[in-house]
Amino acid sequence: GFSWKGQICMNPRRIFRHYLRGWFLLDMMATIPWFVVDLGLNDGVGREMVRAFSLVILIRFARLARVVRFVQDLIEVEVIGFVLSIGKFVSILLLIAHCVACAWWK
């Protein structure tokens, strides 16, 4: 999905159109094996064009780094939530043990 008008859009048709208008062309250019195209070019202009398109791959890596950072943030939030839930469980367990010990003492 993607964010659309402040909400997450999960409509497959809209996702497809959003992707076509956004990252599709960049992804297509990044999948072309430019080193093979470069072998067939002898003039300087062709080589410069191939080098320029090689920057597309770097842009995709930057996008990937952003996605990885987002996933790491989610994992950190989940880990913090997990640690807090364990802390809550241990606190409740200690409270119950304390109450049982007080009842046993009397």
Side-chain angles (χ1 to χ4, degrees), residues 43-83:
D43 60 341
V45 175
R47 289 186 184 275
E48 291 299 320
M49 191 171 77
V50 169
R51 286 189 188 129
F53 282 124
S54 297
L55 290 175
V56 170
I57 295 171
L58 292 176
I59 294 171
R60 283 193 77 209
F61 278 123
R63 179 178 156 211
L64 180 64
R66 187 179 70 181
V67 170
V68 168
R69 196 169 35 251
F70 175 75
V71 170
Q72 285 176 339
D73 290 343
L74 282 179
I75 289 171
E76 287 176 8
V77 168
E78 288 181 16
V79 167
I80 290 171
F82 181 70
V83 168

Side-chain angles (χ1 to χ4, degrees), residues 4-16:
W4 185 63
K5 294 184 180 178
Q7 296 181 349
I8 301 296
C9 178
M10 297 300 289
N11 183 334
R13 196 169 268 165
R14 284 193 179 162
I15 293 171
F16 179 71

